[in-house]
Amino acid sequence: MLNSARNQALLAAIAAAMFFANLGGAHLWDVDEAIFSQAAKEMLVRGDYVVPYFNGEVFPDKPALMYWFMIGAYKVFGPTEFAARFWSAVFGIGSVLLTYRLGRLMFSPAAGIWSGLILASCVSFNIIARAATPDSFLVFFSTLAMLLFVSGTAKARALSGEPNERNAPWVGQTRFEPSWLSYALIYAAMGCGVLTKGPIGVVLPTAVIGLFLLMVRAEPVELVVGAGWRGALRNTFRYLTQIVSPLHFLRTVWSMRPLTAIAAVLAVAGPWYALVGFETEGQWLVGFFGVHNFGRFLNAMENHRGPIVYYVGAIAVGFFPWSVLSIPCFMHIKNQVAERHPWRPGYLLIASWLAVWIGFFSLAGTKLPSYVVPAYPALALACGCFVENWLRNPLLVSRVWTRLVWGTVALAGVGLAVALPIVAHVFLNGDWPLGAVGLIPLVAAAVGWQLSDQRRVQGAMVTLAVLGVTLAISLFGIGAAYVDRYQDSPALAAHIVERKVPGQEPSIASFRYFRPSFVFYANQPVAKLESPAAVQSFFADDPNAYLLTTEAQFETLRGELPADVTVVESRRRFLRSGKIVLLGRATAAAATAAKPADDKNSAPR
């Protein structure tokens, strides 16, 4: 047990260093971070912990669990960026430790260590662990459900002490029958997922376990030596026929205790859904289930669309640097499954996990890279097993493959070194030093190439891990704060605060341009205006009014505004062409110019 505690402490320390590094150093990013953080702040201000609001309106986008955690952090740290992101980082560390435990139970302690490290150091997982969004919460509860299933079916004899290096509880196991209590805990964890992101919190994890049980409970089909591809195809067809057999399907579903599932999920998530439905007269439920669940699956919302192979590219980037091992990794696992290796049950669970999450969202109309991050622990487990086997057999991967691996890393470095200065030149006033980030993969590629050629596999894999850690901290701990200087909403909101007349709250609106972060930093609702007539009325009703719009839209308002309304501040649009302008009374602008410079220290962060 001492080794296990030491390994978990090491992984937690590495993950914490990555996820908490300068966590509050950048302002909230539009759109998701800002809108969720503001919704939690409005719940806190209203003292209503049931109905989520954003910008003064009912907000049926996500359930309440994430907001409750954010509110707790706001009470401790204040409504800051660090507080909004705090629990995402904590749950990210938790998911790393859960992945480690899964690797220990399903494969070996070494595989567990590598799996946890791999998850912690890939790009997309670092993004969600540092973002004020529900994704880190969902990954944690989905992975927790998988761990409860595995531990609930693991051999009792191996749970009483330290599993042997190559004799983890699941190794060679053939029966997978969790007790009623185990299933109740599994579904309770899924219920927390339902409180985090809705039905997918229970539907997809249940489908993963169900697909796994369908496969392992089907009668194995022995391969006939010399049967050729026709024989292999015939055997595969027989196996698939057994899996989808109606009787086999129904028996498997019933063995998963569906009544327990309904009871556990309702016990955890049901009370809040009932309350929010009652208090909004069904408005929140209609918006959430109708628009943000079924609507997102059936149609591409907010222009987030892509081909059915969208997630192949998303994972190649998001699972970097470990995605460079994908081909040799899955070739090796395929061979071990075909040979009925003792690790086969674990591989089948990984396959089920990936098939369900990636398959489901590949069919969905709305596509975002973060949607499949709950499958990343499965990717990390697959890669961790491969690395552990490679360390035991340095000849497992040919030099051709290792050179392709490190060549890909080098290409990624060249891409970063070229692309980042171009983006900086176009959108960030020419901050070309950002391209220096590309040197990190280039150096790692040179070191890893040499170590792999010398068959020093451990050194090569440590190099890949160091690359992941260093790249993540450079991009998200340092680079994000560097780029954050160009965000427009915080600076424009600060300008309004500087001009504020004591005792008078200004009216704020936007015209055909809206950013949730502006609501957060202005610390008050922002009306959305769509016509020049509405803008005229807005300024006529309040002499202390401000309007946010784009430079292009401002041109459509010329001649429609009161004579004393002018541009009081403008900023280059963040990562877009053009400018954002803030309109207000010219007299207020003169008063601001007369203020002492020290007064500007009151601007919000």
Side-chain angles (χ1 to χ4, degrees):
M1 294 301 292
L2 290 177
N3 287 340
S4 176
R6 183 185 61 194
N7 293 337
Q8 291 181 84
L10 177 62
L11 285 173
I14 293 172
M18 299 177 71
F19 304 156
F20 279 100
N22 205 16
L23 185 63
H27 292 94
L28 298 173
W29 305 96
D30 284 303
V31 173
D32 289 348
E33 266 206 316
I35 203 168
F36 295 137
S37 301
Q38 175 62 20
K41 186 161 70 170
E42 291 189 29
M43 289 183 83
L44 176 61
V45 171
R46 293 168 60 90
D48 180 356
Y49 299 156
V50 175
V51 184
Y53 278 78
F54 171 75
N55 203 25
E57 300 178 351
V58 173
F59 181 57
D61 194 286
K62 294 294 180 289
L65 186 64
M66 169 185 60
Y67 304 133
W68 293 340
F69 277 99
M70 284 184 178
I71 289 168
Y74 286 167
K75 289 183 176 181
V76 176
F77 304 110
T80 64
E81 296 88 351
F82 177 84
R85 296 165 178 151
F86 175 81
W87 283 106
S88 289
V90 171
F91 278 102
I93 296 169
S95 295
V96 169
L97 297 179
L98 293 178
T99 303
Y100 162 76
R101 293 299 303 173
L102 276 168
R104 281 181 61 87
L105 291 174
M106 293 162 59
F107 304 108
S108 73
I113 294 169
W114 280 104
S115 299
L117 181 59
I118 288 166
L119 181 65
S121 56
C122 67
V123 170
S124 281
F125 192 76
N126 270 268
I127 292 174
I128 69 156
R130 298 177 59 89
T133 64
D135 299 298
S136 185
F137 297 75
L138 181 63
V139 173
F140 177 84
F141 290 118
S142 299
T143 309
L144 176 60
M146 295 301 108
L147 177 59
L148 290 170
F149 173 75
V150 170
S151 61
T153 56
K155 298 172 186 174
R157 63 173 177 80
L159 291 176
S160 60
E162 285 289 302
N164 295 329
E165 195 171 6
R166 303 285 287 183
N167 189 31
W170 256 35
V171 172
Q173 188 161 322
T174 57
R175 294 180 64 85
F176 303 90
E177 298 176 357
S179 65
W180 174 87
L181 179 59
S182 293
Y183 265 127
L185 293 173
I186 291 166
Y187 292 126
M190 295 183 193
C192 293
V194 173
L195 263 180
T196 298
K197 213 168 181 179
I200 64 168
V202 63
V203 172
L204 297 191
T206 300
V208 171
I209 294 173
L211 179 57
F212 168 77
L213 291 176
L214 286 171
M215 289 193 291
V216 296
R217 291 182 177 185
E219 291 294 327
V221 177
E222 298 296 335
L223 297 177
V224 178
V225 179
W229 67 268
R230 286 189 178 87
L233 188 61
R234 191 161 49 247
N235 287 336
T236 301
F237 179 76
R238 285 172 53 200
Y239 182 61
L240 293 176
T241 301
Q242 290 183 53
I243 290 176
V244 299
S245 165
L247 186 59
H248 179 61
F249 179 84
L250 291 174
R251 284 175 175 169
T252 301
V253 169
W254 186 250
S255 73
M256 293 175 64
R257 300 181 182 269
L259 299 181
T260 300
I262 294 171
V265 172
L266 286 179
V268 173
W272 177 81
Y273 277 92
L275 278 173
V276 75
F278 176 78
E279 294 197 11
T280 62
E281 298 181 343
Q283 177 188 353
W284 192 95
L285 298 177
V286 170
F288 178 66
F289 290 105
V291 176
H292 293 287
N293 282 271
F294 296 112
R296 284 184 182 274
F297 184 82
L298 297 175
N299 305 291
M301 295 181 63
E302 295 139 8
N303 204 33
H304 296 309
R305 56 173 51 87
I308 198 166
V309 295
Y310 173 89
Y311 289 108
V312 175
I315 290 172
V317 175
F319 199 57
F320 187 84
W322 301 97
S323 55
V324 298
L325 299 177
S326 297
I327 295 178
C329 170
F330 285 104
M331 286 174 59
H332 174 68
I333 289 177
K334 171 182 168 293
N335 292 334
Q336 289 204 320
V337 171
E339 296 167 0
R340 306 195 67 80
H341 189 277
W343 285 6
R344 182 174 179 270
Y347 291 146
L348 291 181
L349 182 63
I350 289 171
S352 302
W353 199 335
L354 296 176
V356 167
W357 281 93
I358 298 174
F360 178 85
F361 284 110
S362 293
L363 297 175
T366 305
K367 292 181 172 64
L368 282 170
S370 61
Y371 285 176
V372 297
V373 176
Y376 275 41
L379 288 170
L381 287 164
C383 197
C385 292
F386 170 69
V387 169
E388 202 260 16
N389 279 304
W390 192 5
L391 290 172
R392 290 179 169 277
N393 179 12
L395 300 179
L396 183 65
V397 181
S398 69
R399 279 198 173 92
V400 172
W401 276 114
T402 59
R403 290 174 177 178
L404 284 173
V405 163
W406 293 110
T408 304
V409 172
L411 284 175
V414 171
L416 288 172
V418 172
L420 289 179
I422 293 174
V423 172
H425 175 74
V426 175
F427 298 113
L428 302 176
N429 297 331
D431 270 333
W432 61 267
L434 287 172
V437 174
L439 295 176
I440 300 172
L442 286 172
V443 172
V447 174
W449 183 299
Q450 183 177 8
L451 290 172
S452 295
D453 270 3
Q454 297 171 358
R455 300 295 186 186
R456 295 165 63 185
V457 179
Q458 183 168 343
M461 292 301 95
V462 169
T463 300
L464 202 58
V466 171
L467 165 61
V469 172
T470 307
L471 189 63
I473 293 176
S474 299
L475 286 173
F476 309 123
I478 301 172
Y482 187 77
V483 172
D484 175 68
R485 298 176 301 155
Y486 300 99
Q487 288 214 62
D488 46 73
S489 293
L492 293 171
H495 194 79
I496 293 176
V497 173
E498 291 172 357
R499 294 163 50 88
K500 186 181 293 187
V501 178
Q504 297 183 18
E505 285 298 323
S507 297
I508 305 176
S510 63
F511 177 66
R512 297 177 184 173
Y513 170 81
F514 183 77
R515 282 293 178 267
S517 59
F518 193 70
V519 182
F520 185 92
Y521 291 107
N523 204 31
Q524 68 180 81
V526 177
K528 299 179 184 179
L529 307 180
E530 294 296 331
S531 68
V535 172
Q536 283 183 326
S537 177
F538 172 71
F539 278 111
D541 291 343
D542 188 350
N544 191 27
Y546 294 90
L547 183 77
L548 189 72
T549 189
T550 63
E551 190 177 43
Q553 292 297 335
F554 174 55
E555 295 300 321
T556 68
L557 295 174
R558 286 191 183 276
E560 306 286 341
L561 298 171
D564 61 343
V565 172
T566 185
V567 175
V568 298
E569 179 73 335
S570 67
R571 298 276 296 189
R572 182 172 181 172
R573 194 172 177 182
F574 184 57
L575 298 182
R576 298 285 192 279
S577 59
K579 289 185 176 181
I580 306 300
V581 296
L582 182 67
L583 306 180
R585 304 286 178 179
T587 52
T592 299
K595 279 187 178 183
D598 289 344
D599 288 352
K600 295 187 178 182
N601 292 335
S602 61
R605 265 284 289 110

